[in-house]
Amino acid sequence: MQRIIPKSIFFLCFNLLTLISPCQSRFLLPRCDDSNGNYTSNSTYQTNLDSVLSSLVPAAATTTYGFFNRSAGQPPDTVNAIALCRGDADLDTCRSCINDANVSARDLCPNRKGATVWYDDCMLRYSGDTILQNLDSTNGGFIWTPDNIPNSNELYQAIRPLMDRLKSEAAGGDSVRKFSSGSTFGPGFTTIYGLMQCTPDLPEDQCYSCLETATNTIPNCCNASLNVRILYPSCNLRYANSRFFNSTVVFPPPPVEAQPRSPPPSSPPPPPPSKSSKTTVIVIAIVATVSSVILVSVFVCIFIRRKRKPEGQLSENSVHEHGGIDEITTAKSLIYSFGVVRAATNNFSHDNKLGHGGFGVVYKGKLPNGKEIAVKRLSSDSGQGEEEFMNEVLLLAKLQHRNLVQLLGFSLEGSERLLMYEFVQNASLDKFIFDSTKRVTLDWEGRYKIIGGIAKGLLYLHEDSRLKIIHRDLKASNVLLDAQMIPKIADFGMARLFTPEETQANTCRIVGTYGYMAPEYALHGQFSVKSDVFSFGVLLLEIVTGHKNHSFQNGVVIEDLLSHTWKSWRDGNASNLIDPTLRDVSDSIRDMIRCIHIGLLCVQENACDRPTMGSVVLMLSSSSLSLPVPSEPAFFVNTIANLQN
Ligand SMILES: *[C@@H]1O[C@H](CO)[C@@H](O)[C@H](O)[C@H]1NC(C)=O
Ligand SMILES: *[C@@H]1O[C@H](CO)[C@@H](O)[C@H](O)[C@H]1NC(C)=O
Ligand SMILES: *[C@@H]1O[C@H](CO)[C@@H](O)[C@H](O)[C@H]1NC(C)=O
Ligand SMILES: *[C@@H]1O[C@H](CO)[C@@H](O)[C@H](O)[C@H]1NC(C)=O
Ligand SMILES: *[C@@H]1O[C@H](CO)[C@@H](O)[C@H](O)[C@H]1NC(C)=O
Ligand SMILES: *[C@@H]1O[C@H](CO)[C@@H](O)[C@H](O)[C@H]1NC(C)=O
């Protein structure tokens, strides 16, 4: 039973880790279209919407040009949809972004006939109205970060020539791509990078006019910020003081040679620059950038380092929609000022400390209105900008389930990030099942309810919430119990709050806990809903047996629950595994053994052999359902030890 865990396995894990998942594209803004009302479930409109998106999304996997349109159905139930990827996005980025957008659009705008969602790398839009060649520069929004500069006129003057150039370049694009990017010197020692794009179905004049509307919005929307996005259904614009686009991307020639471009129609758009002058512009831009980046970045660093936010200022991003206020109010109601939270936790006093999780210390707090909260102070720099962080928190706050700890809000101040949760009365599950005196208070009925609750919470994260959250660190200490002993899963979605950095291959990005991690996750960094199912299986076995999966003494495993369970099960002695405090008083031995059976199914070595959480919930609720026979589970310690040879 005794096995030595080589210390080096932890380093092995570091080395074996490769990229965990393709980078998630950053979600920016939804815009639900209320003008045409809602469709009803199972209506023709819904069928058409499903069908149009199910052909649009795969189309993104094959086309090189980043713009897709599809329609389905007959009036009055016709559904039109378009997707537009950012001009510099490669096929993989584009595809995965549109996939995300497909899911989030219907999640954020349930049953709406029309919706637009913007991501960093793409936009998805559907509507009952005609979309193609239909200029829409009203139903948009803007996003800016409060890195504003004191002298706004200086900024606007500096970027005007860049904006003018980008407008003409984007509008002068061809019928498959209307995109432009470039840079200029900004105030101080900054370089300002800009990007513009229209949906390429728009004629040149409409594209130009849409971008003009966007440009004219800048002074009125964004408090002279150095990081601004203006998003309209037909066009968008972004500028920032750091390079955010890929300027080395090479555009393939258009598929059909477009006819010689017609001269720009009537009034506003100036003629696009001739071919040769365009080349010059690009060359100059590149040369200027390359030589200036090195020089300028030194100054920019100094500049940024000096520029600290004044003490006590509420640091927040601003997300605005023209006309719509939903997002603003949600965002606003979730923001807590750092000062208030610090006061609520008595300046993060040691006495208020509730525990230490994987991502930081948790404190108990009391808001001025008397409401009790739990505050997680994230320990490390998440590597995420404020805006991304806030968008993720907004999404997580939308997850509501009785078996999840509710996220109430957040606070940002410099590099400090705080998350506010509902306060849950009875601490965590491990404080009960692994405690020799407290375990007695948790009878079988209570434990069975807890198992069922955890399963339902996890199922919601995996399937019902549409966001498809993979927890990655499910364990007894991440299950909290409220006053009625209802389990609430904590720490979900944490992985979303940390950006995968470029250096990812060199850092251990594994967020799980040794002993709960599925082998494919621990060894290869591959996580999926099935790696959560594995953790759930371990947890289930711990609840029934009252034993920790791995207990260590001086680096030696003195107990390995999975192999022990397997051997007893195989030899028909499963009832010996049950926690003695349950075994002696309960007449539900059969149910307990059934739970052990389900636990073994969840910890199968091959992820495909593990059930989904949907099946687990079913198995738990219906005792007549016959269960498959498990085979030998994954012995994590073994697997790793073998790899050492
Ligand atoms: C459509 O449904 C949403 C929520 O599902 C609701 O808030 C909205 O008022 C509905 N709109 C109409 C026009 O019924
Ligand atoms: C829609 O159809 C599904 C399956 O055909 C059915 O289960 C569901 O109850 C229907 N929903 C409504 C609201 O009619
Ligand atoms: C789009 O999202 C819906 C609902 O979330 C999902 O059922 C569907 O499979 C997705 N389509 C594609 C092609 O990914
Ligand atoms: C806008 O900028 C001014 C200074 O330029 C600053 O005092 C103010 O706080 C900013 N407003 C917001 C909402 O960031
Ligand atoms: C719209 O999609 C169809 C194919 O479904 C394609 O033939 C057509 O060129 C597209 N239109 C535009 C403007 O991209
Ligand atoms: C930029 O695009 C080029 C060509 O598509 C690609 O090889 C390169 O990896 C991209 N760079 C970044 C930082 O995305």
Side-chain angles (χ1 to χ4, degrees):
M1 210 42 237
Q2 296 214 341
R3 272 195 292 259
I4 306 215
I5 301 195
K7 280 202 185 118
S8 57
I9 64 162
F10 294 102
F11 300 104
L12 186 70
C13 124
F14 283 51
N15 296 337
L16 283 172
L17 268 181
T18 46
L19 271 183
I20 283 173
S21 70
C23 298
Q24 288 249 341
S25 185
R26 201 182 314 159
F27 170 76
L28 300 175
L29 197 71
R31 181 79 211 196
C32 307
D33 178 359
D34 284 318
S35 59
N36 288 323
N38 291 344
Y39 59 82
T40 48
S41 294
N42 294 350
S43 61
T44 319
Y45 195 92
Q46 182 177 35
T47 316
N48 292 343
L49 178 61
D50 288 345
S51 112
V52 88
L53 290 177
S54 67
S55 75
L56 183 77
V57 175
T62 53
T63 324
T64 343
Y65 296 97
F67 180 68
F68 321 96
N69 80 89
R70 290 289 182 274
S71 299
Q74 301 301 317
D77 292 311
T78 313
V79 183
N80 303 299
I82 61 163
L84 175 70
C85 284
R86 210 168 81 182
D88 60 338
D90 60 26
L91 205 54
D92 277 345
T93 311
C94 180
R95 180 182 347 183
S96 91
C97 184
I98 292 173
N99 261 316
D100 291 348
N102 164 48
V103 176
S104 73
R106 281 183 281 178
D107 194 29
L108 296 165
C109 302
N111 293 45
R112 283 336 141 81
K113 286 196 170 174
T116 311
V117 285
W118 287 269
Y119 276 73
D120 213 0
D121 295 313
C122 70
M123 174 196 81
L124 175 74
R125 181 180 177 203
Y126 54 79
S127 171
D129 299 330
T130 309
I131 297 179
L132 287 184
Q133 271 126 37
N134 215 351
L135 175 65
D136 184 347
S137 53
T138 48
N139 295 307
F142 39 87
I143 299 178
W144 51 280
T145 52
D147 290 330
N148 54 346
I149 64 153
N151 186 346
S152 53
N153 277 337
E154 219 183 318
L155 173 69
Y156 301 142
Q157 265 163 28
I159 61 174
R160 178 159 306 134
L162 174 66
M163 294 295 140
D164 285 344
R165 177 159 63 85
L166 294 180
K167 266 187 285 191
S168 310
E169 262 182 48
D174 52 42
S175 63
V176 293
R177 194 182 327 250
K178 287 190 164 57
F179 172 76
S180 60
S181 62
S183 64
T184 188
F185 291 109
F189 295 108
T190 51
T191 302
I192 304 283
Y193 299 86
L195 171 159
M196 292 193 191
Q197 186 163 23
C198 293
T199 60
D201 57 305
L202 285 188
E204 180 169 358
D205 59 333
Q206 290 190 7
C207 173
Y208 191 91
S209 114
C210 184
L211 290 172
E212 181 125 285
T213 308
T215 322
N216 291 342
T217 307
I218 296 172
N220 305 323
C221 71
C222 306
N223 207 20
S225 164
L226 286 170
N227 191 348
V228 166
R229 297 172 218 245
I230 316 257
L231 307 164
Y232 289 122
S234 290
C235 69
N236 62 75
L237 165 169
R238 178 178 179 191
Y239 67 83
N241 59 348
S242 61
R243 180 189 295 280
F244 56 87
F245 51 81
N246 187 345
S247 53
T248 58
V249 66
V250 183
F251 296 161
V256 194
E257 199 37 66
Q259 308 90 0
R261 200 175 291 132
S262 54
S266 59
S267 46
S274 72
K275 195 98 187 175
S276 63
S277 75
K278 203 169 184 175
T279 319
T280 330
V281 170
I282 291 168
V283 169
I284 291 171
I286 290 172
V287 170
T289 319
V290 168
S291 56
S292 60
V293 152
I294 301 163
L295 272 175
V296 169
S297 56
V298 175
F299 291 108
V300 170
C301 285
I302 298 166
F303 183 70
I304 289 173
R305 273 170 184 281
R306 284 217 191 130
K307 195 168 136 284
R308 284 254 159 250
K309 286 201 185 73
E311 181 72 33
Q313 183 191 327
L314 182 64
S315 173
E316 63 178 79
N317 285 291
S318 303
V319 178
H320 294 264
E321 290 185 24
H322 290 181
I325 49 157
D326 273 5
E327 271 311 293
I328 314 174
T329 29
T330 332
K332 282 259 148 73
S333 68
L334 288 172
I335 298 172
Y336 287 70
S337 111
F338 187 80
V340 166
V341 183
R342 184 165 48 195
T345 57
N346 195 7
N347 200 13
F348 306 108
S349 78
H350 188 75
D351 291 344
N352 282 18
K353 195 169 155 179
L354 291 173
H356 196 118
F359 295 91
V361 181
V362 183
Y363 298 89
K364 185 175 177 178
K366 198 169 199 174
L367 293 175
N369 64 9
K371 189 181 169 75
E372 288 183 320
I373 53 171
V375 178
K376 170 159 266 192
R377 189 180 195 180
L378 298 185
S379 51
S380 60
D381 190 335
S382 70
Q384 252 186 351
E386 292 183 358
E387 190 183 297
E388 312 158 58
F389 180 80
M390 190 181 80
N391 285 321
E392 287 299 343
V393 173
L394 283 179
L395 282 178
L396 292 180
K398 287 194 174 130
L399 299 177
Q400 303 197 354
H401 190 274
R402 90 191 219 114
N403 298 116
L404 297 183
V405 178
Q406 181 63 40
L407 179 60
L408 301 174
F410 67 99
S411 174
L412 290 168
E413 168 117 330
S415 60
E416 280 274 8
R417 271 120 213 255
L418 307 175
L419 295 174
M420 258 68 66
Y421 290 98
E422 66 173 309
F423 178 72
V424 180
Q425 210 73 37
N426 263 326
S428 51
L429 181 59
D430 59 330
K431 300 280 190 315
F432 284 85
I433 54 175
F434 302 141
D435 183 286
S436 53
T437 50
K438 273 190 164 177
R439 73 200 321 165
V440 186
T441 63
L442 214 48
D443 61 8
W444 175 244
E445 201 189 336
R447 292 194 202 196
Y448 198 67
K449 276 195 188 136
I450 289 172
I451 294 170
I454 302 168
K456 284 184 196 138
L458 203 52
L459 173 63
Y460 174 82
L461 286 177
H462 285 178
E463 290 182 38
D464 295 345
S465 76
R466 293 248 180 109
L467 277 180
K468 287 216 189 304
I469 303 267
I470 295 169
H471 190 297
R472 298 216 251 164
D473 196 13
L474 183 71
K475 55 182 169 182
S477 58
N478 270 339
V479 174
L480 307 184
L481 299 169
D482 74 5
Q484 281 81 46
M485 299 302 273
I486 293 172
K488 289 177 181 282
I489 300 175
D491 259 359
F492 54 86
M494 292 308 287
R496 294 182 71 109
L497 296 178
F498 289 79
T499 16
E501 316 106 343
E502 275 75 60
T503 55
Q504 193 171 39
N506 304 325
T507 32
C508 193
R509 298 279 309 168
I510 274 191
V511 299
T513 301
Y514 183 75
Y516 288 90
M517 279 189 283
E520 76 274 15
Y521 180 31
L523 293 173
H524 308 297
Q526 297 165 346
F527 66 87
S528 66
V529 290
K530 292 298 183 74
S531 45
D532 272 355
V533 170
F534 186 97
S535 310
F536 174 82
V538 174
L539 183 54
L540 197 165
L541 293 174
E542 290 181 333
I543 294 173
V544 180
T545 63
H547 286 291
K548 282 188 178 149
N549 184 19
H550 292 302
S551 311
F552 295 95
Q553 235 165 42
N554 307 323
V556 173
V557 185
I558 54 170
E559 184 169 316
D560 174 8
L561 182 61
L562 298 194
S563 56
H564 185 50
T565 306
W566 169 247
K567 282 177 202 137
S568 307
W569 170 270
R570 189 192 50 196
D571 302 337
N573 298 327
S575 60
N576 292 345
L577 296 163
I578 295 167
D579 186 340
T581 64
L582 298 177
R583 195 170 48 203
D584 298 341
V585 292
S586 176
D587 49 6
S588 311
I589 300 285
R590 271 194 53 191
D591 286 346
M592 297 176 197
I593 292 183
R594 189 176 162 85
C595 273
I596 293 175
H597 189 159
I598 296 172
L600 282 171
L601 292 173
C602 292
V603 296
Q604 295 292 290
E605 174 127 39
N606 185 347
C608 305
D609 296 340
R610 298 172 210 153
T612 60
M613 284 317 296
S615 326
V616 170
V617 168
L618 208 61
M619 293 174 192
L620 285 170
S621 58
S622 124
S623 57
S624 56
L625 200 74
S626 68
L627 304 178
V629 178
S631 48
E632 188 172 16
F635 296 134
F636 183 57
V637 179
N638 262 344
T639 317
I640 282 185
N642 288 345
L643 265 169
Q644 289 288 291
N645 301 334

